Amino acid sequence: MSRYYLNYLDELESEAIYILREVYAKFEHPVILFSGGKDSILVTHLAKKAFYPAKIPFALLQIDTGHNFPETMSFRDKLVEDLDLRLIVGSVQKSIDEKKVVEEVGKHASRNVLQITTLLDTIEELKIDCAIGGGRRDEEKSRAKERIFSHRDDFGQWDPKNQRPELWSIFNSQHEIGEHFRVFPISNWTEMDVWNYINREKIEIPSIYFAHERKVIWRNNSWIPVSEFITLDESEQVETKKIRFRTLGDITITGGIESEANTLEKIVAEVAAMRQTERGNRADDKRSENAMEDRKRQGYF
């Protein structure tokens, strides 16, 4: 790896650490939004570096759909124990039981959209004024509109026309009671940057990111993992494929790709040759052309 590229990763790391320290200085009740995916793991690693040798001053907030990859939940619990972190879990099932949301039914049912209500309720209940996320501008077109300090109104909603300018790395954190911010320390990173940094730092990640055999079905142009939460129709055939996942979410909508990449070095090489964004295998983003932006306006991550 060239000296220039190492300096480039160092620059991204330095910017992210600066942003995390700004969050700590400017907000009273910040949390890290934690999905167990590589980006939220990376943000947690950067927070560890930002405040070392002290422990991370932010709790982890996970919105639990109840439709999780078992590997992710095991990884989450180990990380929380190893870093001695406070874990806050918002339950989508609880939101369903309290009739705040209605569970979808049918072949394409998902709890992904239902997370919005659970997240906003948790933010309001705990008076969270900043939720730190792992969003990146290269993931999806609506995320390219995000500021690093992304303002949300008192309904928890995002308006792309009501964002503050961010000149010379000066971030405006002023907000009224009931409003909050989503902050994205790795906004300027790409998927390739993330994998190169994970490889350089040897950051531990869930096993589902590496190629492994799994029972899957072909749906929405992706290999969807078979689980107790998925409804099959007669035309769908269960197959065993060697796949890995580029992104992570609700197990019912997260599609895998066929792959032989079982090491970080092989993942880096594979991603370098990719021409489709990692969210191209997310069924929730295929519901409509503006699916992500519509969810973001409602308060999605």
Side-chain angles (χ1 to χ4, degrees):
M1 193 175 290
S2 71
R3 182 181 180 86
Y4 170 80
Y5 200 78
L6 283 171
N7 288 340
Y8 167 64
L9 288 178
D10 289 339
E11 184 176 341
L12 288 173
E13 177 190 75
S14 178
E15 178 190 50
I17 287 174
Y18 168 74
I19 293 166
L20 288 164
R21 289 173 177 167
E22 284 287 288
V23 168
Y24 181 67
K26 292 182 174 181
F27 295 97
E28 294 183 9
H29 303 292
V31 297
I32 295 175
L33 290 171
F34 189 82
S35 67
K38 67 183 186 309
D39 297 322
S40 61
I41 292 168
L42 173 60
V43 170
T44 305
H45 176 83
L46 290 165
K48 179 183 174 182
K49 276 198 164 188
F51 300 100
Y52 183 83
K55 59 185 268 189
I56 297 172
F58 313 125
L60 300 187
L61 170 59
Q62 182 196 15
I63 302 304
D64 181 9
T65 65
H67 293 174
N68 304 294
F69 286 90
E71 299 94 329
T72 307
M73 302 303 285
S74 298
F75 182 92
R76 179 203 70 181
D77 294 341
K78 182 177 183 297
L79 183 70
V80 167
E81 181 179 358
D82 289 347
L83 297 182
D84 189 23
L85 298 175
R86 179 186 172 210
L87 175 66
I88 303 167
V89 178
S91 170
V92 172
Q93 184 61 55
K94 181 181 177 184
S95 298
I96 294 170
D97 294 342
E98 293 176 350
K99 296 183 170 39
K100 293 181 177 179
V101 294
V102 177
E103 183 147 30
E104 296 180 1
V105 296
K107 174 180 174 180
H108 298 289
S110 167
R111 288 186 170 185
N112 204 45
V113 174
L114 307 187
Q115 295 181 84
I116 297 171
T117 297
T118 307
L119 173 62
L120 295 180
D121 284 351
T122 304
I123 287 174
E124 182 177 10
E125 178 184 349
L126 299 180
K127 295 181 171 54
I128 293 168
D129 53 1
C130 176
I132 306 164
R136 306 187 324 270
R137 287 175 178 158
D138 72 318
E139 284 184 88
E140 198 274 342
K141 60 184 179 181
S142 71
R143 285 192 167 172
K145 301 177 183 179
E146 285 278 19
R147 298 288 195 266
I148 292 175
F149 274 47
S150 181
H151 175 263
R152 304 298 168 107
D153 64 21
D154 55 353
F155 294 102
Q157 297 177 338
W158 172 72
D159 181 355
K161 297 179 181 178
N162 187 30
Q163 301 297 319
R164 287 82 185 273
E166 294 180 338
L167 306 175
W168 305 291
S169 296
I170 297 174
F171 302 112
N172 185 343
S173 62
Q174 297 299 312
H175 60 282
E176 302 295 333
I177 295 174
E179 299 177 344
H180 72 279
F181 277 81
R182 309 287 173 86
V183 171
F184 303 102
I186 61 170
S187 182
N188 289 325
W189 298 49
T190 66
E191 182 187 12
M192 194 68 190
D193 298 330
V194 169
W195 282 116
N196 274 312
Y197 187 80
I198 288 173
N199 188 33
R200 187 184 85 169
E201 300 283 304
K202 302 305 177 189
I203 300 172
E204 189 176 354
I205 54 176
S207 60
I208 61 173
Y209 280 110
F210 300 98
H212 62 287
E213 289 193 345
R214 201 178 198 105
K215 292 186 183 301
V216 292
I217 59 168
W218 184 249
R219 179 184 290 180
N220 288 329
N221 294 317
S222 297
W223 291 111
I224 301 295
V226 174
S227 71
E228 62 183 300
F229 309 113
I230 196 168
T231 301
L232 305 180
D233 64 32
E234 295 179 356
S235 65
E236 292 176 323
Q237 181 178 353
V238 176
E239 303 181 51
T240 299
K241 293 284 184 179
K242 196 168 188 179
I243 65 166
R244 74 174 193 86
F245 297 93
R246 292 176 69 191
T247 183
L248 189 151
D250 188 321
I251 196 171
T252 62
I253 49 88
T254 302
I257 59 171
E258 292 189 70
S259 174
E260 295 292 331
N262 56 5
T263 67
L264 288 173
E265 290 78 8
K266 289 179 180 179
I267 290 175
V268 168
E270 184 178 81
V271 171
M274 292 286 185
R275 292 296 176 265
Q276 183 185 47
T277 67
E278 62 196 287
R279 292 193 69 95
N281 292 96
R282 289 284 292 270
D284 52 328
D285 289 347
K286 299 177 182 179
R287 292 192 170 195
S288 71
E289 184 178 352
N290 299 314
M292 169 65 85
E293 182 154 340
D294 291 342
R295 295 200 306 277
K296 282 171 59 61
R297 288 178 183 273
Q298 296 167 25
Y300 188 70
F301 302 122

